[in-house]
Amino acid sequence: MLLRFRGPDGAFRLTVNPIDDFSSLLSKLLENLPKDVDPSSISLSNQPAHGQERLLKDLTGVTIEAPGLTHGDILFVRYQKHDPLSNGHTPKGAAGSDSSALATSTNRLNGAPVTPADNLSVVSRRAPTGKELNPWENATQSALDNRLDKKDGKIQRPRDVKMCRHGPKGMCDYCTPLEPFDPKYLEEKKIKHLSFHSYLRKINSATNKPESNSSYVPPLSEPFYRVKSACPSGHPAWPEGICTKCQPSAITLQPQTFRMVDHVEFASPDLMNKFLDFWRRSGAQRIGYLYGRHEEYAEVPLGVKAIVEVIYEPPQIDEVDGVTLQEWEKEKEVDEVAARCGLEKIGVIFTDLIDAGTNDGKVICKRHMNSYFLSSLETAFAARLQAKYPKPTKWSDSGRFGSCFVTCVVSGDEEGQIGVSAFQVSNSAVEMIRASIVEPSAEPSVMLVQNEDEPDNNENNTVSRARYIPEVFYRRINEHGASVQENAKPSFPVEYLLVTLTHGFPSDPKPLFQKQAFPIENREVTGESQDFHILARLLGITRDRVDHDKEVRAISDFRLLLFVHGMGVLNKDEEDLLYQVATQHDLAEGYQLISTPGWATLVAILQESGERPPKRSSEFFSFDRVAPSSGGHDRLAKRFKGVSLK
């Protein structure tokens, strides 16, 4: 009878005798498998995953027909491969040189060179390394994704009094629950994009059908616009060789129909006001990273919202027309403290504000439908950040798909008011930036398609030829109202790469951190600094007394937590208790914290170098000398305000 076999390196068929032993399959299998397969690791299973897997060597004495195999059945083969680099010897010059790495990779275990005719296994761009065969099985999803996976997502509809003719327990076409991706419902609710899980239900219903009893196939696949390495055709690697199997296909840009995050919610208005204070005081722009969490968003079927609890401002050089980010040495420390408070880095926010000069608080509207909403440079910046923070999911063949990282812009709206806009860039945009296919242009509303013959950014302006640029097209509505396809070279509108999100503030704010009194980091240019004196004042610690009630209440401040963490006076258990008090606001645990040895050390340090004593009034100047009728107080304030730090 005929049996089909499928493994990570392809599929093949064998003609076998049903009464033969399973051990007789070993020689036939090795003829169809790569030469570097370990025979003792070959196993057979009736399912691609979670099946009844048995090692072939353990099936000695069992006939092929014993498990109930019939003509045309398929078995799934798994195996491990020898490591061609682990021959027990380190090649000469193996201290990181390219030549030694090449020499190592082109020799067998016995030192003999590998010829091109040898059938070595080929690792594709999505194949994992080591024993990991299915990346989606090892993907660790968030708890929110696991909860949404268990929901059916159906949109319930009440019984229509006019159209329904059945009883209260019946159901018809007018009251049947709708799918979460129903287009009429989305249009009625003015929902522009599908949520990620609604989109997942839509494509998974067509990819994996339970009634067909077929094996599971991940419905999601990330775009890949680069030349595949280790092409099975056997030609030299790019740029020396290329074929239709390894070169990327032409790209047709279309607006992305789904979004990974549907809504951005700022925990409190004070969060935004504190961030905007820098621009109000200096007139320069500002950038900050958003720390928060993701939760369900009920306004969109199976929706997800990002709740922002903290805006952290990294080291930067701020100017009137932009921001230059500097090296952020404490990024890991900030991420660690945020993680221990139940938060993660979920986005970035920056300002683009210019005062209108009308003395009424209005600003100039720069971003509108006739100009741009997110410039090409900002789009590339957002794409790099989304590539840095991918979303793990078990529904993708690579174990990850897209990103939940959001980009927010604070700019002027059409009415001259300060407004917030939230965006993500499409998965195609992330891959095009990663593959160096596009680059920002001087015109903010368009993105440039790179040319393979353009010189690299080096001193000699040489061309490396290591970049392959596929054809890029996009569709637009022409002057006759027809949809036409055009070549994206040399440029195309940046709006094809954007996905818009909604944003807002809760009607009843309940922020995780109840205090924001501690000075904001990296604002020395506006006169704000963090030191022991301010910490002592906020905690109510003086040389003579300690206000324990004030201590417990002031702890719920993220920047205060970072400052205390940087002091290094609390051990791990005491810090965990500190973060628990700051986020859960439990007074009992707060008094337990202030009785720990580490907190006592902190109090002693602050009492020695903490709050300054009140300054004595100067004997050379007195406000009494200024006549009240002359408006001396106002003139003094105006003179001080006019002093320039330059």
Side-chain angles (χ1 to χ4, degrees):
M1 64 181 178
L2 184 69
L3 291 182
R4 294 177 295 163
F5 295 86
R6 182 179 297 172
D9 288 283
F12 54 91
R13 290 182 284 185
L14 295 177
T15 302
V16 299
N17 191 339
I19 61 175
D20 286 347
D21 194 275
F22 265 101
S23 59
S24 64
L25 294 177
L26 180 60
S27 58
K28 297 181 180 180
L29 290 175
L30 291 176
E31 292 176 358
N32 293 273
L33 296 178
K35 301 298 183 182
D36 55 348
V37 169
D38 183 7
S40 62
S41 65
I42 298 178
S43 63
L44 300 177
S45 175
N46 60 341
Q47 296 290 338
H50 308 293
Q52 299 177 2
E53 184 176 359
R54 297 285 297 275
L55 287 172
L56 184 60
K57 63 182 181 180
D58 295 338
L59 296 176
T60 303
V62 180
T63 61
I64 297 176
E65 63 180 0
L69 295 175
T70 59
H71 181 75
D73 283 350
I74 183 171
L75 292 176
F76 296 90
V77 186
R78 296 186 181 182
Y79 43 79
Q80 298 178 9
K81 302 168 186 175
H82 294 295
D83 187 0
L85 305 182
S86 59
N87 59 357
H89 301 282
T90 302
K92 296 181 179 180
S97 64
D98 296 337
S99 60
S100 64
L102 182 60
T104 305
S105 61
T106 56
N107 284 274
R108 292 189 182 277
L109 297 177
N110 57 5
V114 177
T115 61
D118 286 333
N119 184 23
L120 285 179
S121 61
V122 176
V123 181
S124 66
R125 66 178 179 89
R126 299 192 185 278
T129 59
K131 299 180 180 180
E132 181 186 2
L133 294 178
N134 298 322
W136 60 87
E137 294 180 346
N138 296 328
T140 303
Q141 294 191 146
S142 65
L144 174 61
D145 287 334
N146 291 332
R147 291 198 305 269
L148 291 175
D149 285 345
K150 297 177 182 178
K151 292 189 174 183
D152 60 2
K154 300 285 187 178
I155 303 171
Q156 301 296 328
R157 293 190 296 174
R159 182 175 180 270
D160 194 321
V161 180
K162 295 182 179 180
M163 304 302 296
C164 294
R165 297 291 184 264
H166 51 77
K169 294 185 178 181
M171 188 174 294
C172 65
D173 291 341
Y174 298 99
C175 59
T176 303
L178 301 175
E179 294 290 346
F181 47 83
D182 185 76
K184 293 183 179 179
Y185 177 84
L186 298 178
E187 183 180 359
E188 178 185 350
K189 297 297 182 179
K190 294 181 171 56
I191 301 175
K192 188 176 180 180
H193 297 87
L194 287 173
S195 66
F196 167 67
H197 284 270
S198 296
Y199 172 75
L200 179 60
R201 302 294 170 85
K202 181 179 180 179
I203 63 172
N204 190 48
S205 60
T207 305
N208 296 291
K209 298 180 179 180
E211 61 273 11
S212 64
N213 294 325
S214 59
S215 59
Y216 170 75
V217 177
L220 299 176
S221 180
E222 288 189 308
F224 190 83
Y225 303 147
R226 289 162 284 172
V227 179
K228 299 178 184 178
S229 59
C231 181
S233 298
H235 60 74
W238 170 262
E240 283 74 20
I242 195 170
C243 69
T244 56
K245 293 183 179 180
C246 59
Q247 72 178 21
S249 303
I251 304 170
T252 301
L253 295 176
Q254 295 179 349
Q256 187 169 287
T257 59
F258 65 94
R259 53 192 177 189
M260 308 300 294
V261 176
D262 302 281
H263 183 76
V264 179
E265 180 181 290
F266 294 90
S268 68
D270 292 340
L271 203 64
M272 187 62 64
N273 288 330
K274 287 279 188 179
F275 181 66
L276 291 176
D277 278 344
F278 183 88
W279 173 78
R280 295 189 180 109
R281 294 184 181 184
S282 65
Q285 309 306 325
R286 195 68 170 167
I287 189 172
Y289 285 101
L290 308 177
Y291 284 87
R293 62 187 183 276
H294 294 100
E295 292 185 359
E296 296 184 38
Y297 185 51
E299 301 300 323
V300 176
L302 297 177
V304 174
K305 66 178 178 180
I307 301 179
V308 181
E309 297 285 355
V310 176
I311 301 179
Y312 186 91
E313 302 174 11
Q316 55 193 281
I317 300 176
D318 305 303
E319 301 176 8
V320 177
D321 59 346
V323 174
T324 302
L325 286 173
Q326 296 181 307
E327 184 180 359
W328 187 5
E329 298 178 353
K330 298 182 179 180
E331 181 176 6
K332 292 184 179 180
E333 296 182 16
V334 177
D335 291 345
E336 177 189 354
V337 174
R340 295 169 74 176
C341 293
L343 306 178
E344 60 179 336
K345 194 181 298 178
I346 61 174
V348 67
I349 185 172
F350 55 87
T351 62
D352 184 17
L353 298 167
I354 299 178
D355 186 68
T358 56
N359 296 325
D360 57 357
K362 291 188 176 182
V363 294
I364 296 177
C365 178
K366 296 173 54 180
R367 301 168 185 258
H368 49 81
M369 62 180 301
N370 295 324
S371 61
Y372 65 95
F373 293 102
L374 202 67
S375 70
S376 57
L377 180 62
E378 295 161 353
T379 301
F381 176 65
R384 292 188 179 95
L385 289 175
Q386 288 183 206
K388 185 179 179 180
Y389 300 98
K391 177 185 178 69
T393 176
K394 64 182 181 181
W395 301 99
S396 174
D397 56 2
S398 62
R400 59 182 184 273
F401 186 80
S403 173
C404 290
F405 203 87
V406 301
T407 301
C408 299
V409 185
V410 184
S411 187
D413 58 18
E414 296 180 354
E415 298 178 356
Q417 304 297 324
I418 297 178
V420 182
S421 301
F423 301 94
Q424 281 191 304
V425 298
S426 65
N427 293 351
S428 296
V430 174
E431 178 58 24
M432 292 176 77
I433 291 295
R434 186 188 284 120
S436 299
I437 297 176
V438 296
E439 62 179 349
S441 68
E443 177 64 32
S445 61
V446 298
M447 185 76 77
L448 297 177
V449 179
Q450 296 202 51
N451 195 326
E452 294 179 5
D453 298 328
E454 290 181 356
D456 299 333
N457 296 326
N458 53 33
E459 297 179 356
N460 301 324
N461 287 330
T462 58
V463 180
S464 64
R465 294 289 298 168
R467 180 175 57 224
Y468 180 85
I469 307 298
E471 292 293 331
V472 183
F473 302 94
Y474 71 96
R475 304 195 70 88
R476 70 175 184 90
I477 305 298
N478 63 6
E479 60 274 10
H480 304 292
S483 176
V484 295
Q485 179 172 287
E486 293 193 2
N487 196 323
K489 291 183 178 180
S491 64
F492 63 91
V494 73
E495 61 194 38
Y496 281 85
L497 307 178
L498 299 183
V499 179
T500 58
L501 318 179
T502 60
H503 69 279
F505 298 90
S507 55
D508 183 20
K510 295 180 180 179
L512 185 67
F513 300 103
Q514 297 180 343
K515 301 290 183 180
Q516 297 186 41
F518 201 72
I520 299 176
E521 61 284 336
N522 302 312
R523 284 196 179 183
E524 289 79 6
V525 68
T526 59
E528 298 183 52
S529 61
Q530 301 176 344
D531 55 29
F532 293 148
H533 308 289
I534 299 176
L535 178 62
R537 176 172 55 82
L538 293 177
L539 295 178
I541 299 174
T542 63
R543 293 181 180 274
D544 303 327
R545 60 185 297 272
V546 178
D547 189 344
H548 296 301
D549 292 337
K550 193 173 183 179
E551 272 184 304
V552 176
R553 291 193 301 269
I555 288 174
S556 186
D557 189 324
F558 184 75
R559 292 178 172 85
L560 186 145
L561 299 180
L562 286 174
F563 190 84
V564 173
H565 173 77
M567 295 177 63
V569 296
L570 303 181
N571 59 35
K572 185 180 183 301
D573 294 335
E574 293 168 344
E575 280 198 10
D576 290 339
L577 183 58
L578 172 67
Y579 303 143
Q580 189 172 352
V581 173
T583 55
Q584 298 183 5
H585 319 126
D586 192 334
L587 292 178
E589 292 181 345
Y591 283 104
Q592 179 183 352
L593 171 66
I594 62 179
S595 62
T596 58
W599 191 264
T601 304
L602 173 65
V603 172
I605 294 174
L606 295 180
Q607 284 181 329
E608 290 296 326
S609 58
E611 187 173 1
R612 299 183 180 93
K615 294 183 178 180
R616 294 179 296 177
S617 59
S618 174
E619 61 186 52
F620 300 104
F621 178 81
S622 174
F623 283 105
D624 296 336
R625 299 183 182 181
V626 181
S629 60
S630 63
H633 290 74
D634 295 339
R635 289 200 304 272
L636 178 63
K638 290 179 181 178
R639 287 199 303 272
F640 181 79
K641 186 177 181 180
V643 174
S644 174
L645 296 179
K646 298 181 181 179

